[in-house]
Coordinates of all heavy atoms in Angstrom, one line a residue:
V1126 N 106.3 66.4 233.5 CA 107.3 65.5 233.4 C 108.6 66.2 233.0 O 108.7 67.2 232.4 CB 107.1 64.4 232.3 CG1 105.8 63.5 232.8 CG2 106.9 64.9 231.0
H1127 N 109.7 65.5 233.5 CA 111.1 66.0 233.0 C 111.5 64.9 231.9 O 111.7 63.7 232.3 CB 112.1 65.9 234.2 CG 113.5 66.2 233.8 ND1 114.5 65.3 233.8 CD2 114.0 67.4 233.2 CE1 115.6 65.9 233.4 NE2 115.3 67.1 233.0
A1128 N 111.2 65.3 230.6 CA 111.3 64.3 229.6 C 112.7 63.5 229.6 O 112.6 62.3 229.4 CB 111.1 64.9 228.2
P1129 N 113.8 64.2 229.8 CA 115.1 63.4 229.6 C 115.2 62.2 230.7 O 115.8 61.2 230.4 CB 116.2 64.5 229.8 CG 115.5 65.7 229.5 CD 114.1 65.6 229.9
S1130 N 114.7 62.5 231.9 CA 114.9 61.4 232.9 C 113.6 60.6 233.2 O 113.7 59.5 233.7 CB 115.3 62.2 234.2 OG 114.1 62.8 234.7
G1131 N 112.5 61.1 232.7 CA 111.2 60.4 233.0 C 110.7 60.7 234.4 O 109.6 60.2 234.7
R1132 N 111.2 61.6 235.1 CA 110.7 62.0 236.4 C 109.4 62.7 236.2 O 109.2 63.5 235.4 CB 111.7 63.0 237.2 CG 112.8 62.2 237.8 CD 113.7 63.1 238.7 NE 114.5 64.0 237.9 CZ 115.7 63.6 237.5 NH1 116.2 62.4 237.6 NH2 116.4 64.4 236.8
V1133 N 108.4 62.2 237.2 CA 107.0 62.8 237.0 C 106.7 63.5 238.3 O 106.9 63.2 239.4 CB 106.0 61.6 236.9 CG1 104.6 62.1 236.7 CG2 106.4 60.8 235.6
Y1134 N 106.0 64.7 238.0 CA 105.5 65.5 239.1 C 104.0 65.8 239.0 O 103.5 65.6 237.9 CB 106.3 66.9 239.1 CG 107.8 66.8 239.2 CD1 108.6 66.6 238.1 CD2 108.3 66.9 240.5 CE1 109.9 66.6 238.3 CE2 109.7 66.8 240.6 CZ 110.5 66.6 239.4 OH 111.9 66.5 239.5
N1135 N 103.4 66.1 240.1 CA 102.0 66.5 240.1 C 101.8 67.7 241.0 O 102.2 67.6 242.2 CB 101.1 65.3 240.5 CG 99.7 65.6 240.2 OD1 99.1 66.5 240.9 ND2 99.1 64.9 239.3
T1136 N 101.3 68.8 240.4 CA 101.2 70.0 241.2 C 100.2 69.8 242.3 O 100.2 70.7 243.3 CB 100.8 71.2 240.3 OG1 99.6 70.8 239.6 CG2 101.8 71.6 239.3
G1137 N 99.4 68.8 242.3 CA 98.4 68.5 243.4 C 99.0 67.9 244.6 O 98.6 68.1 245.7
F1138 N 100.0 66.9 244.4 CA 100.4 66.2 245.6 C 102.0 65.8 245.5 O 102.4 65.3 246.5 CB 99.7 64.9 245.8 CG 99.6 64.0 244.4 CD1 100.6 63.1 244.2 CD2 98.6 64.1 243.7 CE1 100.5 62.3 243.2 CE2 98.5 63.3 242.5 CZ 99.5 62.3 242.2
N1139 N 102.6 66.1 244.4 CA 104.1 65.8 244.3 C 104.6 66.9 243.5 O 105.4 66.7 242.5 CB 104.3 64.4 243.7 CG 105.7 64.1 243.5 OD1 106.6 64.4 244.5 ND2 106.2 63.5 242.5
A1140 N 104.5 68.2 244.0 CA 104.9 69.4 243.2 C 106.5 69.4 243.1 O 107.1 69.1 244.1 CB 104.4 70.6 243.8
P1141 N 107.1 70.0 242.1 CA 108.5 70.2 242.1 C 108.8 71.3 243.2 O 108.0 72.2 243.5 CB 108.8 70.7 240.7 CG 107.5 71.2 240.2 CD 106.3 70.5 240.9
K1142 N 110.1 71.3 243.6 CA 110.5 72.3 244.6 C 110.3 73.8 244.1 O 110.0 74.6 244.7 CB 111.9 72.0 245.1 CG 112.0 70.8 245.8 CD 113.4 70.4 246.2 CE 113.6 69.0 246.8 NZ 115.0 68.6 247.0
A1143 N 110.7 73.9 242.9 CA 110.6 75.3 242.1 C 109.7 75.0 241.0 O 109.7 74.0 240.2 CB 112.0 75.7 241.6
A1144 N 108.6 75.8 240.9 CA 107.6 75.6 239.9 C 108.1 75.6 238.5 O 108.9 76.5 238.0 CB 106.6 76.8 240.0
G1145 N 107.7 74.5 237.8 CA 108.1 74.3 236.4 C 109.4 73.9 236.2 O 110.0 73.7 235.0
K1146 N 110.2 73.5 237.2 CA 111.6 73.0 237.1 C 111.8 71.7 237.7 O 111.2 71.3 238.8 CB 112.5 74.1 237.9 CG 112.4 75.5 237.4 CD 113.0 75.6 236.0 CE 112.9 77.1 235.6 NZ 113.5 77.4 234.2
D1147 N 112.6 70.9 237.1 CA 113.1 69.6 237.6 C 113.8 69.8 238.9 O 114.8 70.5 238.9 CB 113.9 68.8 236.7 CG 114.3 67.5 237.1 OD1 113.5 66.6 237.6 OD2 115.6 67.1 236.9
D1148 N 113.5 68.9 239.9 CA 114.3 69.1 241.2 C 115.7 68.7 241.1 O 116.5 69.3 241.8 CB 113.7 68.0 242.2 CG 112.2 68.5 242.7 OD1 111.8 69.6 242.5 OD2 111.7 67.8 243.4
V1149 N 116.1 67.8 240.2 CA 117.6 67.4 240.2 C 118.4 68.3 239.3 O 119.4 68.8 239.6 CB 117.6 65.9 239.7 CG1 119.1 65.5 239.6 CG2 116.9 65.0 240.6
T1150 N 117.9 68.5 238.0 CA 118.7 69.3 237.0 C 118.3 70.8 236.9 O 119.1 71.6 236.5 CB 118.5 68.7 235.7 OG1 117.1 68.9 235.3 CG2 118.8 67.2 235.7
G1151 N 117.2 71.1 237.4 CA 116.6 72.5 237.3 C 116.1 72.9 235.8 O 115.8 74.0 235.5

Side-chain angles (χ1 to χ4, degrees):
V1126 298
H1127 178 244
S1130 69
R1132 281 185 286 275
V1133 180
Y1134 299 89
N1135 192 291
T1136 54
F1138 54 85
N1139 180 36
K1142 293 173 184 174
K1146 303 288 185 183
D1147 176 50
D1148 286 353
V1149 178
T1150 65

